[in-house]
Amino acid sequence: MAHFAELSDDNVVLRVIVADNKEWCENNLGGTWVQTSYNTHGGQHPEGRPLHKNYAGIGYHFDGVGFYAPQPFPSWIKDEETYIWQ
């Protein structure tokens, strides 16, 4: 089992579920789904296999490379390596 994030048309995470695979999500629930790893944060994973920079949360954005939280303040800049706001 793995975690999958459903994306809106503008690539915002709508929900995250546990399922067997991406195809199951698409065939049974419809929509666009991307796998996410509960153990990935800032592009790091304890077992050395980071997936999409960060674990997806509702409201997070996905740019094709990684997940990142909404910008907390206009002056904050997203670190392009970790996808965490600074």
Side-chain angles (χ1 to χ4, degrees):
M1 300 294 255
H3 291 90
F4 293 89
E6 181 182 18
L7 302 179
S8 68
D9 291 338
D10 56 350
N11 291 330
V12 174
V13 176
L14 300 172
R15 60 181 163 167
V16 179
I17 66 167
V18 176
D20 287 328
N21 55 53
K22 177 181 170 179
E23 290 75 24
W24 184 93
C25 297
E26 292 171 345
N27 293 335
N28 292 285
L29 303 173
T32 302
W33 295 84
V34 176
Q35 188 171 356
T36 185
S37 171
Y38 185 78
N39 294 311
T40 299
H41 179 74
Q44 300 293 316
H45 186 281
E47 296 173 2
R49 18 182 206 126
L51 183 63
H52 301 301
K53 303 289 184 178
N54 294 294
Y55 180 70
I58 295 172
Y60 275 47
H61 300 270
F62 182 69
D63 67 0
V65 174
F67 292 102
Y68 57 95
Q71 188 175 15
F73 300 100
S75 62
W76 286 32
I77 298 170
K78 182 179 68 166
D79 182 306
E80 291 301 321
E81 186 66 30
T82 64
Y83 276 45
I84 295 174
W85 294 100
Q86 305 295 319

